[in-house]
Amino acid sequence: MNIYFSEEENIDQQIIETMKHAAEYCAALEGLDSDICEISVSFVSEDTIHELNRDYRGTDRVTDVLSFPQYESVEDMQGDLIELGDVVICEKRAREQAEEFGHSYEREIIYLFVHSVLHLLGYDHMEEGEKQVMRAREEEVMDHLGIPRRQS
């Protein structure tokens, strides 16, 4: 999996490696060859993610993560290079949410990334049935990474 990071130097290398592993696992679960897949990841300010959320989703507020998929579904993902899309993470919101939810920043940033990668792969949570399927897949990936929802 090729992942292109903006601001990579500001993110812990272990988080970067876990993100790569997560993306590869997500792709494999969908039957994709991760060696030919690419994702772009940007870490942005609250102002930037607010603008993106307003301009592209019509939602005038700060959010934690945005996904910009290149394909409608996994079935459309074919060819020698599969550019899955873009992930935009507001690092400040991730830090705030980690504190709010009582877990580590690392867990929150990885969860947001997994959530977003699943959107790039065609998952959604607008309807209850879709939401249950997506949440189950998120938990499966997080468990695989050794970062379960509730840690003892």
Side-chain angles (χ1 to χ4, degrees), residues 34-56:
S34 66
D35 290 340
I36 62 169
C37 294
E38 292 185 347
I39 296 173
S40 169
V41 179
S42 299
F43 298 97
V44 300
S45 69
E46 287 180 302
D47 289 341
T48 299
I49 207 158
H50 184 177
E51 289 174 23
L52 292 169
N53 203 20
R54 182 191 61 229
D55 295 350
Y56 290 97

Short mmCIF file of all heavy atoms in Angstrom, two decimals, residues 34-56:
data_model
loop_
_atom_site.label_atom_id
_atom_site.label_comp_id
_atom_site.label_asym_id
_atom_site.label_seq_id
_atom_site.Cartn_x
_atom_site.Cartn_y
_atom_site.Cartn_z
N SER A 34 -3.20 -4.88 -2.17
CA SER A 34 -2.76 -3.62 -1.57
C SER A 34 -1.49 -3.07 -2.23
O SER A 34 -1.21 -1.88 -2.12
CB SER A 34 -2.56 -3.77 -0.07
OG SER A 34 -1.50 -4.64 0.22
N ASP A 35 -0.75 -3.92 -2.91
CA ASP A 35 0.48 -3.46 -3.57
C ASP A 35 0.21 -2.46 -4.68
O ASP A 35 1.11 -1.70 -5.06
CB ASP A 35 1.27 -4.64 -4.14
CG ASP A 35 1.89 -5.50 -3.06
OD1 ASP A 35 2.05 -5.01 -1.93
OD2 ASP A 35 2.21 -6.67 -3.36
N ILE A 36 -1.01 -2.44 -5.22
CA ILE A 36 -1.32 -1.50 -6.30
C ILE A 36 -2.29 -0.40 -5.84
O ILE A 36 -2.80 0.36 -6.67
CB ILE A 36 -1.88 -2.23 -7.54
CG1 ILE A 36 -3.19 -2.96 -7.22
CG2 ILE A 36 -0.84 -3.18 -8.12
CD1 ILE A 36 -3.93 -3.48 -8.45
N CYS A 37 -2.52 -0.30 -4.54
CA CYS A 37 -3.44 0.70 -4.01
C CYS A 37 -2.68 1.90 -3.43
O CYS A 37 -1.59 1.73 -2.88
CB CYS A 37 -4.32 0.10 -2.91
SG CYS A 37 -5.46 -1.16 -3.48
N GLU A 38 -3.29 3.06 -3.57
CA GLU A 38 -2.72 4.29 -3.02
C GLU A 38 -3.77 5.08 -2.27
O GLU A 38 -4.95 5.08 -2.66
CB GLU A 38 -2.18 5.19 -4.13
CG GLU A 38 -0.98 4.64 -4.84
CD GLU A 38 -0.41 5.61 -5.86
OE1 GLU A 38 -1.06 6.61 -6.21
OE2 GLU A 38 0.72 5.36 -6.31
N ILE A 39 -3.33 5.76 -1.23
CA ILE A 39 -4.18 6.65 -0.44
C ILE A 39 -3.36 7.89 -0.13
O ILE A 39 -2.16 7.80 0.14
CB ILE A 39 -4.63 5.99 0.88
CG1 ILE A 39 -5.50 4.77 0.62
CG2 ILE A 39 -5.38 6.99 1.76
CD1 ILE A 39 -5.84 3.96 1.87
N SER A 40 -4.01 9.02 -0.12
CA SER A 40 -3.39 10.27 0.31
C SER A 40 -3.97 10.62 1.68
O SER A 40 -5.19 10.55 1.88
CB SER A 40 -3.71 11.38 -0.69
OG SER A 40 -3.35 12.63 -0.17
N VAL A 41 -3.10 11.00 2.62
CA VAL A 41 -3.54 11.37 3.97
C VAL A 41 -3.00 12.76 4.30
O VAL A 41 -1.80 13.00 4.20
CB VAL A 41 -3.05 10.36 5.03
CG1 VAL A 41 -3.51 10.79 6.42
CG2 VAL A 41 -3.53 8.96 4.71
N SER A 42 -3.91 13.64 4.71
CA SER A 42 -3.53 14.99 5.11
C SER A 42 -3.98 15.24 6.54
O SER A 42 -5.10 14.88 6.91
CB SER A 42 -4.18 16.03 4.20
OG SER A 42 -3.77 15.86 2.87
N PHE A 43 -3.11 15.85 7.31
CA PHE A 43 -3.43 16.28 8.67
C PHE A 43 -3.60 17.79 8.60
O PHE A 43 -2.69 18.49 8.17
CB PHE A 43 -2.32 15.89 9.63
CG PHE A 43 -2.13 14.40 9.71
CD1 PHE A 43 -1.15 13.77 8.96
CD2 PHE A 43 -2.95 13.64 10.52
CE1 PHE A 43 -0.99 12.39 9.02
CE2 PHE A 43 -2.79 12.26 10.60
CZ PHE A 43 -1.80 11.63 9.84
N VAL A 44 -4.79 18.25 8.99
CA VAL A 44 -5.12 19.67 8.77
C VAL A 44 -5.64 20.31 10.05
O VAL A 44 -6.00 19.64 11.02
CB VAL A 44 -6.16 19.83 7.64
CG1 VAL A 44 -5.63 19.27 6.32
CG2 VAL A 44 -7.49 19.18 8.02
N SER A 45 -5.74 21.63 10.00
CA SER A 45 -6.25 22.42 11.12
C SER A 45 -7.77 22.35 11.16
O SER A 45 -8.43 21.91 10.21
CB SER A 45 -5.83 23.88 10.94
OG SER A 45 -6.52 24.44 9.83
N GLU A 46 -8.32 22.84 12.28
CA GLU A 46 -9.79 22.92 12.40
C GLU A 46 -10.37 23.83 11.33
O GLU A 46 -11.43 23.51 10.77
CB GLU A 46 -10.17 23.43 13.79
CG GLU A 46 -9.97 22.41 14.88
CD GLU A 46 -10.36 22.95 16.23
OE1 GLU A 46 -9.79 23.98 16.66
OE2 GLU A 46 -11.24 22.33 16.87
N ASP A 47 -9.71 24.94 11.04
CA ASP A 47 -10.22 25.85 10.02
C ASP A 47 -10.29 25.17 8.65
O ASP A 47 -11.27 25.30 7.93
CB ASP A 47 -9.34 27.10 9.92
CG ASP A 47 -9.50 28.03 11.12
OD1 ASP A 47 -10.51 27.92 11.85
OD2 ASP A 47 -8.59 28.86 11.33
N THR A 48 -9.24 24.44 8.31
CA THR A 48 -9.20 23.78 7.00
C THR A 48 -10.26 22.70 6.88
O THR A 48 -10.98 22.62 5.88
CB THR A 48 -7.80 23.19 6.74
OG1 THR A 48 -6.84 24.26 6.74
CG2 THR A 48 -7.75 22.47 5.40
N ILE A 49 -10.41 21.85 7.90
CA ILE A 49 -11.40 20.78 7.81
C ILE A 49 -12.82 21.36 7.84
O ILE A 49 -13.72 20.84 7.18
CB ILE A 49 -11.18 19.67 8.86
CG1 ILE A 49 -11.75 18.35 8.32
CG2 ILE A 49 -11.77 20.03 10.21
CD1 ILE A 49 -11.20 17.10 8.93
N HIS A 50 -13.00 22.47 8.54
CA HIS A 50 -14.29 23.16 8.55
C HIS A 50 -14.64 23.62 7.13
O HIS A 50 -15.75 23.40 6.66
CB HIS A 50 -14.23 24.33 9.52
CG HIS A 50 -15.52 25.05 9.69
ND1 HIS A 50 -15.68 26.09 10.56
CD2 HIS A 50 -16.73 24.91 9.10
CE1 HIS A 50 -16.91 26.55 10.51
NE2 HIS A 50 -17.57 25.85 9.62
N GLU A 51 -13.69 24.25 6.47
CA GLU A 51 -13.91 24.73 5.09
C GLU A 51 -14.21 23.56 4.15
O GLU A 51 -15.14 23.64 3.32
CB GLU A 51 -12.67 25.48 4.59
CG GLU A 51 -12.46 26.81 5.23
CD GLU A 51 -11.15 27.45 4.81
OE1 GLU A 51 -10.62 27.11 3.73
OE2 GLU A 51 -10.63 28.28 5.57
N LEU A 52 -13.44 22.49 4.25
CA LEU A 52 -13.68 21.32 3.40
C LEU A 52 -15.05 20.71 3.66
O LEU A 52 -15.77 20.34 2.72
CB LEU A 52 -12.59 20.27 3.61
CG LEU A 52 -11.19 20.63 3.14
CD1 LEU A 52 -10.18 19.62 3.65
CD2 LEU A 52 -11.15 20.70 1.61
N ASN A 53 -15.41 20.59 4.92
CA ASN A 53 -16.71 20.03 5.29
C ASN A 53 -17.84 20.90 4.73
O ASN A 53 -18.82 20.38 4.20
CB ASN A 53 -16.80 19.92 6.82
CG ASN A 53 -17.79 18.89 7.29
OD1 ASN A 53 -18.19 17.99 6.57
ND2 ASN A 53 -18.21 19.04 8.54
N ARG A 54 -17.70 22.20 4.84
CA ARG A 54 -18.70 23.13 4.32
C ARG A 54 -18.78 23.07 2.79
O ARG A 54 -19.84 22.94 2.21
CB ARG A 54 -18.37 24.56 4.77
CG ARG A 54 -19.40 25.60 4.32
CD ARG A 54 -18.93 27.02 4.55
NE ARG A 54 -17.72 27.24 3.78
CZ ARG A 54 -16.61 27.78 4.27
NH1 ARG A 54 -16.52 28.16 5.52
NH2 ARG A 54 -15.55 27.95 3.49
N ASP A 55 -17.62 23.13 2.15
CA ASP A 55 -17.58 23.22 0.69
C ASP A 55 -17.96 21.92 -0.01
O ASP A 55 -18.60 21.95 -1.06
CB ASP A 55 -16.19 23.66 0.22
CG ASP A 55 -15.84 25.08 0.66
OD1 ASP A 55 -16.74 25.80 1.16
OD2 ASP A 55 -14.66 25.46 0.51
N TYR A 56 -17.58 20.78 0.56
CA TYR A 56 -17.80 19.51 -0.13
C TYR A 56 -18.97 18.71 0.43
O TYR A 56 -19.52 17.86 -0.28
CB TYR A 56 -16.53 18.64 -0.08
CG TYR A 56 -15.45 19.21 -0.96
CD1 TYR A 56 -14.45 20.01 -0.44
CD2 TYR A 56 -15.46 18.98 -2.33
CE1 TYR A 56 -13.48 20.56 -1.25
CE2 TYR A 56 -14.49 19.52 -3.16
CZ TYR A 56 -13.50 20.31 -2.61
OH TYR A 56 -12.54 20.86 -3.42
#
